Amino acid sequence: RETALEARGKHMFESLKLSRVFWLSIITVYVFFIVAFYSLTAEFKNSYYSENAEQLYAAIKLTSVRFVGISIILIGYPFILLRNTQHAKYLTIALTVWVIAMYIDDHVVLYRMIEYSDRGLFALVQWCRPIVIISLVCMSIEFTLRPHPVD
C-alpha cells in the first residue's frame, strides 16, 4: 500500500510526461557535473599546466565563476521543472546554448593560454563534455517538440 507522500511524488513526475531519454540525459548532466566538480577540487594541482601565473589565475577564476553559475542552475532546475515546464524549457535551451558557447570558447581561446592535464579524471571530464552537450540538446528537443501539459 502506497503512502500519501509516495503517491504524491509518483504523480508529480508522471504528470511531466517526459521520456526516458530525457531522464537519462538529465542524469548524465548531473553525474558529469558532480564528477567535474570533484576532479577540479580533488585533483586541483594536477588540473592546470601554465608557466604564467596571471593566465593560471584567470583560468581558475573563470572555472570558479562557471561552477557557481552552473551549481545554482542545477540546484534550482528540479524545482523549476516540477513547478513550470515552460520555464524549464527556456532554462534548458539557455543552458544548452551557454554550455555550447563555453565549449567553443574554450577551444578557440582558453586552450591556447592554458594547458589542461591530459591524464586522470580531469582528462575524462574534458573528453565527456560533448556527451553532456548532446544530452542537453536531447533535453531541449524533448521540451520543444513534445507537447506537455499546461502548468
Side-chain angles (χ1 to χ4, degrees):
R1 198 172 155 194
E2 282 185 314
T3 66
L5 184 60
E6 288 172 338
R8 182 174 172 227
K10 188 176 181 182
H11 174 68
M12 280 193 298
F13 289 108
E14 284 180 356
S15 67
L16 293 174
K17 300 196 185 311
L18 296 167
S19 72
R20 289 184 178 161
V21 173
F22 179 89
W23 293 112
L24 179 64
S25 296
I26 199 169
I27 289 168
T28 302
V29 170
Y30 275 85
V31 167
F32 171 81
F33 179 72
I34 291 167
V35 171
F37 184 76
Y38 176 78
S39 75
L40 282 174
T41 55
E43 298 182 12
F44 183 76
K45 291 181 181 179
N46 299 328
S47 298
Y48 303 102
Y49 295 131
S50 179
E51 295 176 16
N52 185 336
E54 190 173 300
Q55 289 176 347
L56 183 60
Y57 175 74
I60 292 169
K61 187 175 178 181
L62 177 64
T63 302
S64 300
V65 169
R66 286 178 176 180
F67 268 113
V68 168
I70 292 173
S71 296
I72 291 168
I73 291 169
L74 293 179
I75 289 169
Y77 190 81
F79 300 108
I80 294 169
L81 181 62
L82 289 173
R83 303 235 336 117
N84 191 318
T85 54
Q86 195 66 21
H87 290 148
K89 170 188 171 181
Y90 296 133
L91 180 61
T92 304
I93 292 169
L95 182 61
T96 303
V97 170
W98 186 43
V99 169
I100 291 170
M102 284 190 307
Y103 184 74
I104 292 169
D105 185 50
D106 287 352
H107 279 283
V108 172
V109 177
L110 194 60
Y111 292 162
R112 291 181 185 171
M113 295 186 326
I114 301 295
E115 288 184 43
Y116 289 100
S117 174
D118 57 352
R119 295 177 288 139
L121 190 57
F122 192 79
L124 178 64
V125 166
Q126 294 292 28
W127 183 82
C128 289
R129 284 177 77 183
I131 296 169
V132 171
I133 291 171
I134 291 168
S135 296
L136 285 167
V137 167
C138 287
M139 291 168 63
S140 296
I141 289 171
E142 170 101 14
F143 273 128
T144 304
L145 299 181
R146 290 186 130 206
H148 294 284
V150 177
D151 295 312

PDB file of all heavy atoms in Angstrom, residues 60-85:
ATOM      1  N   ILE A  60      41.556  29.788 -13.350  1.00  0.00           N
ATOM      2  CA  ILE A  60      40.936  29.349 -12.100  1.00  0.00           C
ATOM      3  C   ILE A  60      39.718  30.209 -11.784  1.00  0.00           C
ATOM      4  O   ILE A  60      38.666  29.704 -11.385  1.00  0.00           O
ATOM      5  CB  ILE A  60      41.964  29.381 -10.951  1.00  0.00           C
ATOM      6  CG1 ILE A  60      43.032  28.311 -11.194  1.00  0.00           C
ATOM      7  CG2 ILE A  60      41.291  29.181  -9.599  1.00  0.00           C
ATOM      8  CD1 ILE A  60      44.236  28.411 -10.283  1.00  0.00           C
ATOM      9  N   LYS A  61      39.840  31.504 -11.981  1.00  0.00           N
ATOM     10  CA  LYS A  61      38.723  32.411 -11.722  1.00  0.00           C
ATOM     11  C   LYS A  61      37.551  32.108 -12.666  1.00  0.00           C
ATOM     12  O   LYS A  61      36.395  32.049 -12.237  1.00  0.00           O
ATOM     13  CB  LYS A  61      39.183  33.857 -11.896  1.00  0.00           C
ATOM     14  CG  LYS A  61      38.163  34.876 -11.502  1.00  0.00           C
ATOM     15  CD  LYS A  61      38.743  36.273 -11.585  1.00  0.00           C
ATOM     16  CE  LYS A  61      37.703  37.313 -11.247  1.00  0.00           C
ATOM     17  NZ  LYS A  61      38.237  38.668 -11.347  1.00  0.00           N
ATOM     18  N   LEU A  62      37.844  31.901 -13.945  1.00  0.00           N
ATOM     19  CA  LEU A  62      36.807  31.575 -14.922  1.00  0.00           C
ATOM     20  C   LEU A  62      36.103  30.275 -14.553  1.00  0.00           C
ATOM     21  O   LEU A  62      34.868  30.193 -14.584  1.00  0.00           O
ATOM     22  CB  LEU A  62      37.413  31.469 -16.321  1.00  0.00           C
ATOM     23  CG  LEU A  62      36.473  31.072 -17.444  1.00  0.00           C
ATOM     24  CD1 LEU A  62      35.407  32.140 -17.647  1.00  0.00           C
ATOM     25  CD2 LEU A  62      37.254  30.853 -18.726  1.00  0.00           C
ATOM     26  N   THR A  63      36.866  29.274 -14.182  1.00  0.00           N
ATOM     27  CA  THR A  63      36.292  27.985 -13.796  1.00  0.00           C
ATOM     28  C   THR A  63      35.412  28.136 -12.558  1.00  0.00           C
ATOM     29  O   THR A  63      34.326  27.566 -12.494  1.00  0.00           O
ATOM     30  CB  THR A  63      37.418  26.965 -13.536  1.00  0.00           C
ATOM     31  OG1 THR A  63      38.206  26.837 -14.723  1.00  0.00           O
ATOM     32  CG2 THR A  63      36.857  25.608 -13.168  1.00  0.00           C
ATOM     33  N   SER A  64      35.870  28.923 -11.612  1.00  0.00           N
ATOM     34  CA  SER A  64      35.088  29.135 -10.386  1.00  0.00           C
ATOM     35  C   SER A  64      33.765  29.827 -10.682  1.00  0.00           C
ATOM     36  O   SER A  64      32.711  29.422 -10.165  1.00  0.00           O
ATOM     37  CB  SER A  64      35.885  29.975  -9.385  1.00  0.00           C
ATOM     38  OG  SER A  64      37.086  29.335  -9.051  1.00  0.00           O
ATOM     39  N   VAL A  65      33.794  30.853 -11.507  1.00  0.00           N
ATOM     40  CA  VAL A  65      32.566  31.564 -11.866  1.00  0.00           C
ATOM     41  C   VAL A  65      31.605  30.628 -12.599  1.00  0.00           C
ATOM     42  O   VAL A  65      30.396  30.615 -12.326  1.00  0.00           O
ATOM     43  CB  VAL A  65      32.885  32.813 -12.712  1.00  0.00           C
ATOM     44  CG1 VAL A  65      31.633  33.412 -13.318  1.00  0.00           C
ATOM     45  CG2 VAL A  65      33.625  33.842 -11.876  1.00  0.00           C
ATOM     46  N   ARG A  66      32.124  29.839 -13.503  1.00  0.00           N
ATOM     47  CA  ARG A  66      31.278  28.893 -14.239  1.00  0.00           C
ATOM     48  C   ARG A  66      30.631  27.897 -13.291  1.00  0.00           C
ATOM     49  O   ARG A  66      29.444  27.595 -13.416  1.00  0.00           O
ATOM     50  CB  ARG A  66      32.099  28.148 -15.287  1.00  0.00           C
ATOM     51  CG  ARG A  66      32.446  28.976 -16.485  1.00  0.00           C
ATOM     52  CD  ARG A  66      33.288  28.174 -17.437  1.00  0.00           C
ATOM     53  NE  ARG A  66      33.577  28.905 -18.651  1.00  0.00           N
ATOM     54  CZ  ARG A  66      34.300  28.417 -19.637  1.00  0.00           C
ATOM     55  NH1 ARG A  66      34.811  27.194 -19.556  1.00  0.00           N
ATOM     56  NH2 ARG A  66      34.521  29.139 -20.724  1.00  0.00           N
ATOM     57  N   PHE A  67      31.416  27.367 -12.368  1.00  0.00           N
ATOM     58  CA  PHE A  67      30.873  26.370 -11.452  1.00  0.00           C
ATOM     59  C   PHE A  67      29.817  26.943 -10.525  1.00  0.00           C
ATOM     60  O   PHE A  67      28.838  26.281 -10.219  1.00  0.00           O
ATOM     61  CB  PHE A  67      31.980  25.686 -10.643  1.00  0.00           C
ATOM     62  CG  PHE A  67      32.478  24.446 -11.311  1.00  0.00           C
ATOM     63  CD1 PHE A  67      33.753  24.393 -11.810  1.00  0.00           C
ATOM     64  CD2 PHE A  67      31.664  23.340 -11.466  1.00  0.00           C
ATOM     65  CE1 PHE A  67      34.210  23.259 -12.454  1.00  0.00           C
ATOM     66  CE2 PHE A  67      32.109  22.203 -12.099  1.00  0.00           C
ATOM     67  CZ  PHE A  67      33.389  22.157 -12.599  1.00  0.00           C
ATOM     68  N   VAL A  68      29.985  28.161 -10.087  1.00  0.00           N
ATOM     69  CA  VAL A  68      28.959  28.785  -9.248  1.00  0.00           C
ATOM     70  C   VAL A  68      27.672  28.943 -10.047  1.00  0.00           C
ATOM     71  O   VAL A  68      26.585  28.587  -9.570  1.00  0.00           O
ATOM     72  CB  VAL A  68      29.450  30.140  -8.688  1.00  0.00           C
ATOM     73  CG1 VAL A  68      28.307  30.916  -8.064  1.00  0.00           C
ATOM     74  CG2 VAL A  68      30.557  29.924  -7.676  1.00  0.00           C
ATOM     75  N   GLY A  69      27.766  29.440 -11.274  1.00  0.00           N
ATOM     76  CA  GLY A  69      26.584  29.616 -12.111  1.00  0.00           C
ATOM     77  C   GLY A  69      25.888  28.308 -12.407  1.00  0.00           C
ATOM     78  O   GLY A  69      24.660  28.190 -12.270  1.00  0.00           O
ATOM     79  N   ILE A  70      26.646  27.312 -12.791  1.00  0.00           N
ATOM     80  CA  ILE A  70      26.057  26.016 -13.112  1.00  0.00           C
ATOM     81  C   ILE A  70      25.488  25.359 -11.859  1.00  0.00           C
ATOM     82  O   ILE A  70      24.437  24.722 -11.905  1.00  0.00           O
ATOM     83  CB  ILE A  70      27.088  25.111 -13.826  1.00  0.00           C
ATOM     84  CG1 ILE A  70      27.382  25.679 -15.212  1.00  0.00           C
ATOM     85  CG2 ILE A  70      26.580  23.683 -13.941  1.00  0.00           C
ATOM     86  CD1 ILE A  70      28.490  24.984 -15.963  1.00  0.00           C
ATOM     87  N   SER A  71      26.148  25.532 -10.716  1.00  0.00           N
ATOM     88  CA  SER A  71      25.636  24.967  -9.462  1.00  0.00           C
ATOM     89  C   SER A  71      24.270  25.540  -9.120  1.00  0.00           C
ATOM     90  O   SER A  71      23.350  24.799  -8.759  1.00  0.00           O
ATOM     91  CB  SER A  71      26.593  25.259  -8.307  1.00  0.00           C
ATOM     92  OG  SER A  71      27.814  24.634  -8.501  1.00  0.00           O
ATOM     93  N   ILE A  72      24.136  26.837  -9.234  1.00  0.00           N
ATOM     94  CA  ILE A  72      22.850  27.479  -8.937  1.00  0.00           C
ATOM     95  C   ILE A  72      21.765  26.956  -9.874  1.00  0.00           C
ATOM     96  O   ILE A  72      20.658  26.624  -9.438  1.00  0.00           O
ATOM     97  CB  ILE A  72      22.981  29.012  -9.027  1.00  0.00           C
ATOM     98  CG1 ILE A  72      23.853  29.519  -7.882  1.00  0.00           C
ATOM     99  CG2 ILE A  72      21.611  29.686  -9.014  1.00  0.00           C
ATOM    100  CD1 ILE A  72      24.286  30.963  -8.022  1.00  0.00           C
ATOM    101  N   ILE A  73      22.094  26.851 -11.143  1.00  0.00           N
ATOM    102  CA  ILE A  73      21.110  26.364 -12.119  1.00  0.00           C
ATOM    103  C   ILE A  73      20.723  24.915 -11.830  1.00  0.00           C
ATOM    104  O   ILE A  73      19.541  24.564 -11.818  1.00  0.00           O
ATOM    105  CB  ILE A  73      21.653  26.508 -13.558  1.00  0.00           C
ATOM    106  CG1 ILE A  73      21.730  27.986 -13.930  1.00  0.00           C
ATOM    107  CG2 ILE A  73      20.772  25.749 -14.549  1.00  0.00           C
ATOM    108  CD1 ILE A  73      22.482  28.259 -15.205  1.00  0.00           C
ATOM    109  N   LEU A  74      21.714  24.055 -11.576  1.00  0.00           N
ATOM    110  CA  LEU A  74      21.413  22.644 -11.363  1.00  0.00           C
ATOM    111  C   LEU A  74      20.705  22.379 -10.042  1.00  0.00           C
ATOM    112  O   LEU A  74      19.917  21.435  -9.944  1.00  0.00           O
ATOM    113  CB  LEU A  74      22.682  21.800 -11.476  1.00  0.00           C
ATOM    114  CG  LEU A  74      23.292  21.739 -12.877  1.00  0.00           C
ATOM    115  CD1 LEU A  74      24.548  20.899 -12.873  1.00  0.00           C
ATOM    116  CD2 LEU A  74      22.302  21.208 -13.890  1.00  0.00           C
ATOM    117  N   ILE A  75      20.941  23.202  -9.046  1.00  0.00           N
ATOM    118  CA  ILE A  75      20.216  23.045  -7.784  1.00  0.00           C
ATOM    119  C   ILE A  75      18.763  23.480  -7.964  1.00  0.00           C
ATOM    120  O   ILE A  75      17.840  22.836  -7.480  1.00  0.00           O
ATOM    121  CB  ILE A  75      20.909  23.831  -6.651  1.00  0.00           C
ATOM    122  CG1 ILE A  75      22.227  23.146  -6.280  1.00  0.00           C
ATOM    123  CG2 ILE A  75      20.001  23.952  -5.426  1.00  0.00           C
ATOM    124  CD1 ILE A  75      23.120  23.955  -5.368  1.00  0.00           C
ATOM    125  N   GLY A  76      18.549  24.562  -8.681  1.00  0.00           N
ATOM    126  CA  GLY A  76      17.198  25.072  -8.873  1.00  0.00           C
ATOM    127  C   GLY A  76      16.405  24.370  -9.953  1.00  0.00           C
ATOM    128  O   GLY A  76      15.167  24.440  -9.973  1.00  0.00           O
ATOM    129  N   TYR A  77      17.073  23.680 -10.867  1.00  0.00           N
ATOM    130  CA  TYR A  77      16.401  23.083 -12.015  1.00  0.00           C
ATOM    131  C   TYR A  77      15.261  22.120 -11.649  1.00  0.00           C
ATOM    132  O   TYR A  77      14.172  22.222 -12.234  1.00  0.00           O
ATOM    133  CB  TYR A  77      17.424  22.388 -12.920  1.00  0.00           C
ATOM    134  CG  TYR A  77      16.850  21.951 -14.244  1.00  0.00           C
ATOM    135  CD1 TYR A  77      16.699  22.851 -15.284  1.00  0.00           C
ATOM    136  CD2 TYR A  77      16.430  20.640 -14.444  1.00  0.00           C
ATOM    137  CE1 TYR A  77      16.166  22.460 -16.498  1.00  0.00           C
ATOM    138  CE2 TYR A  77      15.891  20.241 -15.649  1.00  0.00           C
ATOM    139  CZ  TYR A  77      15.758  21.156 -16.676  1.00  0.00           C
ATOM    140  OH  TYR A  77      15.216  20.768 -17.871  1.00  0.00           O
ATOM    141  N   PRO A  78      15.463  21.195 -10.720  1.00  0.00           N
ATOM    142  CA  PRO A  78      14.346  20.286 -10.397  1.00  0.00           C
ATOM    143  C   PRO A  78      13.103  21.016  -9.895  1.00  0.00           C
ATOM    144  O   PRO A  78      11.976  20.630 -10.217  1.00  0.00           O
ATOM    145  CB  PRO A  78      14.914  19.371  -9.305  1.00  0.00           C
ATOM    146  CG  PRO A  78      16.381  19.453  -9.466  1.00  0.00           C
ATOM    147  CD  PRO A  78      16.673  20.827 -10.003  1.00  0.00           C
ATOM    148  N   PHE A  79      13.305  22.070  -9.129  1.00  0.00           N
ATOM    149  CA  PHE A  79      12.168  22.836  -8.621  1.00  0.00           C
ATOM    150  C   PHE A  79      11.429  23.536  -9.762  1.00  0.00           C
ATOM    151  O   PHE A  79      10.202  23.548  -9.796  1.00  0.00           O
ATOM    152  CB  PHE A  79      12.639  23.859  -7.576  1.00  0.00           C
ATOM    153  CG  PHE A  79      13.305  23.210  -6.395  1.00  0.00           C
ATOM    154  CD1 PHE A  79      14.680  23.306  -6.224  1.00  0.00           C
ATOM    155  CD2 PHE A  79      12.571  22.486  -5.470  1.00  0.00           C
ATOM    156  CE1 PHE A  79      15.295  22.709  -5.149  1.00  0.00           C
ATOM    157  CE2 PHE A  79      13.187  21.876  -4.389  1.00  0.00           C
ATOM    158  CZ  PHE A  79      14.552  21.984  -4.231  1.00  0.00           C
ATOM    159  N   ILE A  80      12.188  24.097 -10.674  1.00  0.00           N
ATOM    160  CA  ILE A  80      11.573  24.762 -11.832  1.00  0.00           C
ATOM    161  C   ILE A  80      10.860  23.735 -12.703  1.00  0.00           C
ATOM    162  O   ILE A  80       9.754  23.979 -13.187  1.00  0.00           O
ATOM    163  CB  ILE A  80      12.635  25.539 -12.631  1.00  0.00           C
ATOM    164  CG1 ILE A  80      13.168  26.692 -11.781  1.00  0.00           C
ATOM    165  CG2 ILE A  80      12.069  26.048 -13.951  1.00  0.00           C
ATOM    166  CD1 ILE A  80      14.391  27.362 -12.346  1.00  0.00           C
ATOM    167  N   LEU A  81      11.483  22.588 -12.889  1.00  0.00           N
ATOM    168  CA  LEU A  81      10.885  21.523 -13.709  1.00  0.00           C
ATOM    169  C   LEU A  81       9.550  21.068 -13.128  1.00  0.00           C
ATOM    170  O   LEU A  81       8.583  20.858 -13.870  1.00  0.00           O
ATOM    171  CB  LEU A  81      11.848  20.341 -13.815  1.00  0.00           C
ATOM    172  CG  LEU A  81      11.409  19.143 -14.642  1.00  0.00           C
ATOM    173  CD1 LEU A  81      11.208  19.548 -16.092  1.00  0.00           C
ATOM    174  CD2 LEU A  81      12.443  18.035 -14.542  1.00  0.00           C
ATOM    175  N   LEU A  82       9.485  20.923 -11.828  1.00  0.00           N
ATOM    176  CA  LEU A  82       8.247  20.468 -11.199  1.00  0.00           C
ATOM    177  C   LEU A  82       7.169  21.549 -11.155  1.00  0.00           C
ATOM    178  O   LEU A  82       5.985  21.247 -11.152  1.00  0.00           O
ATOM    179  CB  LEU A  82       8.533  19.969  -9.779  1.00  0.00           C
ATOM    180  CG  LEU A  82       9.294  18.660  -9.706  1.00  0.00           C
ATOM    181  CD1 LEU A  82       9.671  18.345  -8.272  1.00  0.00           C
ATOM    182  CD2 LEU A  82       8.505  17.517 -10.318  1.00  0.00           C
ATOM    183  N   ARG A  83       7.568  22.811 -11.115  1.00  0.00           N
ATOM    184  CA  ARG A  83       6.599  23.898 -10.982  1.00  0.00           C
ATOM    185  C   ARG A  83       6.082  24.407 -12.326  1.00  0.00           C
ATOM    186  O   ARG A  83       4.914  24.742 -12.435  1.00  0.00           O
ATOM    187  CB  ARG A  83       7.196  25.067 -10.200  1.00  0.00           C
ATOM    188  CG  ARG A  83       7.664  24.650  -8.864  1.00  0.00           C
ATOM    189  CD  ARG A  83       7.263  25.255  -7.612  1.00  0.00           C
ATOM    190  NE  ARG A  83       6.775  26.543  -7.361  1.00  0.00           N
ATOM    191  CZ  ARG A  83       5.562  26.766  -6.871  1.00  0.00           C
ATOM    192  NH1 ARG A  83       4.730  25.785  -6.717  1.00  0.00           N
ATOM    193  NH2 ARG A  83       5.183  27.967  -6.555  1.00  0.00           N
ATOM    194  N   ASN A  84       6.968  24.494 -13.322  1.00  0.00           N
ATOM    195  CA  ASN A  84       6.539  25.104 -14.579  1.00  0.00           C
ATOM    196  C   ASN A  84       7.407  24.570 -15.718  1.00  0.00           C
ATOM    197  O   ASN A  84       8.561  24.972 -15.859  1.00  0.00           O
ATOM    198  CB  ASN A  84       6.670  26.626 -14.474  1.00  0.00           C
ATOM    199  CG  ASN A  84       6.005  27.345 -15.616  1.00  0.00           C
ATOM    200  OD1 ASN A  84       6.113  26.934 -16.758  1.00  0.00           O
ATOM    201  ND2 ASN A  84       5.343  28.437 -15.305  1.00  0.00           N
ATOM    202  N   THR A  85       6.842  23.697 -16.535  1.00  0.00           N
ATOM    203  CA  THR A  85       7.625  23.103 -17.622  1.00  0.00           C
ATOM    204  C   THR A  85       8.001  24.124 -18.690  1.00  0.00           C
ATOM    205  O   THR A  85       9.018  23.970 -19.358  1.00  0.00           O
ATOM    206  CB  THR A  85       6.869  21.926 -18.278  1.00  0.00           C
ATOM    207  OG1 THR A  85       5.587  22.357 -18.695  1.00  0.00           O
ATOM    208  CG2 THR A  85       6.752  20.754 -17.332  1.00  0.00           C
TER     209      THR A  85
END
